[in-house]
Amino acid sequence: KVRNKVLQAKKSYYESANILSSHRKKFAFHLEGLINKELVPLKLVDAKFEVEVIEKDENKKNENGIDNIKFLVSMNKGGMKGEIHKVSSGGELSRLMLAINLVIANSLNKKTLVFDEVDSGVSGSVAEAIAVRLLNLSNTQQILVVTHLPQVAARGKQHFKTFKFSKNNTTLTGVTELSTADRVEEVATMISGDKITEEARQLSKKLLHN
């Protein structure tokens, strides 16, 4: 009787686990397509995201099913695939995570996402694409972005400036929230450097009112 119960439980387990596995493989293919589509405008044109779904060893199958799932990425054409955290640089990883979060945003619990160097090594239309996507993501999640680009900074709902100062022979870091007028000056500084031109100031105002 016990043996029959065990056999029946195994049969029931595998029926459910195989259905779950089938759904996972179907959704993995769909997820790959959505994320890879987002990589192009983020200047990751040669990157390829892939979800690997492989069956676990018999002794590791459990209440989570029979699958091992890995998120793999190749950042360059013909490059070796590897797990995301092992093959991406800081800036590339931030943009990759931005693409992933954009796709799955509606499935996430409300949380705060921090992006550092998400705009590293980009400018122009790519910077604008990143800025717009961060703004869209902020509709469902709280977003904190460390940036040096005016296009990205101007899209934020709040703007904080970090700065260093010395006190008692110690270097400290401070942070202050900028007013609307201060934001115009700060974004203009990001555009033209320490010597702010009137053209930079006007462009700053235009960016902030987008």
Side-chain angles (χ1 to χ4, degrees), residues 185 188-189 191-203:
E185 295 300 297
T189 300
I191 294 170
S192 66
D194 292 336
K195 188 176 181 180
I196 302 175
T197 64
E198 188 55 36
E199 290 81 1
R201 195 171 278 116
Q202 291 304 315
L203 180 55

Side-chain angles (χ1 to χ4, degrees), residues 8 14 19 22 50 69 87 90 92 106 155 164 202-203:
Q8 186 58 44
Y14 276 103
I19 291 171
S22 177
E50 186 176 313
I69 298 175
V87 297
E92 289 175 335
N106 293 327
R155 293 279 181 172
K164 289 183 178 180
Q202 291 304 315
L203 180 55

Side-chain angles (χ1 to χ4, degrees), residues 44-129:
L44 294 171
V45 291
D46 292 328
K48 187 173 182 182
F49 175 83
E50 186 176 313
V51 183
E52 182 181 78
V53 184
I54 55 176
E55 192 170 337
K56 294 177 181 176
D57 293 337
E58 191 65 32
N59 63 340
K60 292 185 178 180
K61 295 173 181 177
N62 55 23
E63 68 274 14
N64 295 317
I66 60 174
D67 304 307
N68 263 329
I69 298 175
K70 289 183 180 179
F71 290 156
L72 305 176
V73 65
S74 168
M75 300 309 299
N76 302 293
K77 277 185 180 177
M80 188 179 294
K81 288 186 295 185
E83 293 179 75
I84 287 175
H85 64 286
K86 294 181 179 178
V87 297
S88 307
S89 67
E92 289 175 335
L93 181 60
S94 286
R95 276 180 277 157
L96 185 60
M97 293 310 297
L98 173 57
I100 292 171
N101 279 295
L102 281 165
V103 170
I104 66 173
N106 293 327
S107 303
L108 294 173
N109 294 324
K110 301 299 180 186
K111 59 176 68 177
T112 298
L113 301 175
V114 181
F115 290 95
D116 188 12
E117 296 186 31
V118 69
D119 48 27
S120 176
V122 303
S123 59
S125 60
V126 179
E128 182 65 15

Side-chain angles (χ1 to χ4, degrees), residues 35-46:
I35 291 174
N36 283 319
K37 187 178 178 181
E38 280 291 340
L39 297 180
V40 177
L42 295 176
K43 205 179 179 182
L44 294 171
V45 291
D46 292 328

Side-chain angles (χ1 to χ4, degrees), residues 131-142:
V132 170
R133 281 158 175 78
L134 286 167
L135 182 62
N136 291 341
L137 190 55
S138 73
N139 292 324
T140 55
Q141 312 292 328
Q142 183 182 48

